[in-house]
Amino acid sequence: RSWGRSEIRLAAVEALKQLRDVTGETVHLAVPNGPHMVYIEKLESPSAVQMSSRIGTTVSLYSTAVGKAWLAMLGTAECDAVLATLPQPFEQHTPNTVRDLAPLVRQLDTVRARGWSVDDEENEAGIYCFGAPILGPDGAPVAAISVSTLRFRQKDDLQQAYVAPLLAACEAVGRRIAEVPALSEAR
């Protein structure tokens, strides 16, 4: 119940609905919780094939689009401090999961450069996710949103189908948070 009343969730719910409707895919809103991210909202794809995740699920920072999006946008010192807390080698969820810090750091550099992340079947086989951070008024990440698609039904134009709507949703939620300063303190 407490996750359902989260102020960030309330600020994001309309943008999440629009993102789900535009992409036709499952969307998640996640916040950091120690060495994990926690899903505080999930809007299911209208497709007959749906994902097994649920609100309250904790997921790793290193193998999920939401985790990598949030990590990449932290300041260097803060990111390094969080990375230092992760036990290595990383737990391997699928054959695509990174096991060591060096490849993860390279992925985070790519995320920083382009502003969004991917989970290429790193957390669940057959699931491809796009993630982006929600930034607070100070530019620090407060949460992250992902769009999750099944690999077999992924659209060809990734930028148009998933990334552009995802980034627009994150920007909309960031603006909403900036309008209500208490929301950025909720993290």
Side-chain angles (χ1 to χ4, degrees), residues 57-76:
T57 299
T58 59
V59 294
S60 66
L61 292 170
Y62 59 87
S63 66
T64 60
V66 289
K68 291 185 273 186
W70 180 78
L71 267 174
M73 297 307 162
L74 292 174
T76 304

Side-chain angles (χ1 to χ4, degrees), residues 133-151:
I134 297 170
L135 303 178
D138 62 357
V142 296
I145 297 174
S146 68
V147 175
S148 303
T149 183
L150 298 170
R151 178 61 98 172

Side-chain angles (χ1 to χ4, degrees), residues 116-141:
W116 53 277
S117 62
V118 297
D119 161 358
D120 183 1
E121 299 184 65
E122 296 165 62
N123 203 55
E124 265 185 86
I127 306 291
Y128 194 98
C129 304
F130 302 87
I134 297 170
L135 303 178
D138 62 357

Side-chain angles (χ1 to χ4, degrees), residues 23-158:
T23 63
E25 299 295 351
T26 299
V27 298
H28 291 94
L29 171 66
V31 293
N33 183 21
H36 300 95
M37 296 294 281
V38 177
Y39 293 142
I40 62 170
E41 185 58 273
K42 174 187 179 184
L43 298 179
E44 201 67 74
S45 166
S47 168
V49 180
Q50 300 184 346
M51 296 183 61
S52 63
S53 61
R54 64 186 186 339
I55 294 172
T57 299
T58 59
V59 294
S60 66
L61 292 170
Y62 59 87
S63 66
T64 60
V66 289
K68 291 185 273 186
W70 180 78
L71 267 174
M73 297 307 162
L74 292 174
T76 304
E78 191 176 1
C79 182
D80 290 346
V82 172
L83 291 174
T85 68
L86 301 178
Q88 292 184 50
F90 303 141
E91 181 182 348
Q92 191 166 13
H93 304 292
T94 73
N96 290 359
T97 306
V98 295
R99 297 283 308 196
D100 302 302
L101 195 55
L104 176 60
V105 169
R106 286 192 296 276
Q107 287 183 10
L108 296 177
D109 289 342
T110 300
V111 173
R112 273 185 213 99
R114 67 181 178 201
W116 53 277
S117 62
V118 297
D119 161 358
D120 183 1
E121 299 184 65
E122 296 165 62
N123 203 55
E124 265 185 86
I127 306 291
Y128 194 98
C129 304
F130 302 87
I134 297 170
L135 303 178
D138 62 357
V142 296
I145 297 174
S146 68
V147 175
S148 303
T149 183
L150 298 170
R151 178 61 98 172
F152 75 85
R153 74 168 181 228
Q154 191 174 55
K155 296 173 183 148
D156 291 332
D157 187 347
L158 304 181

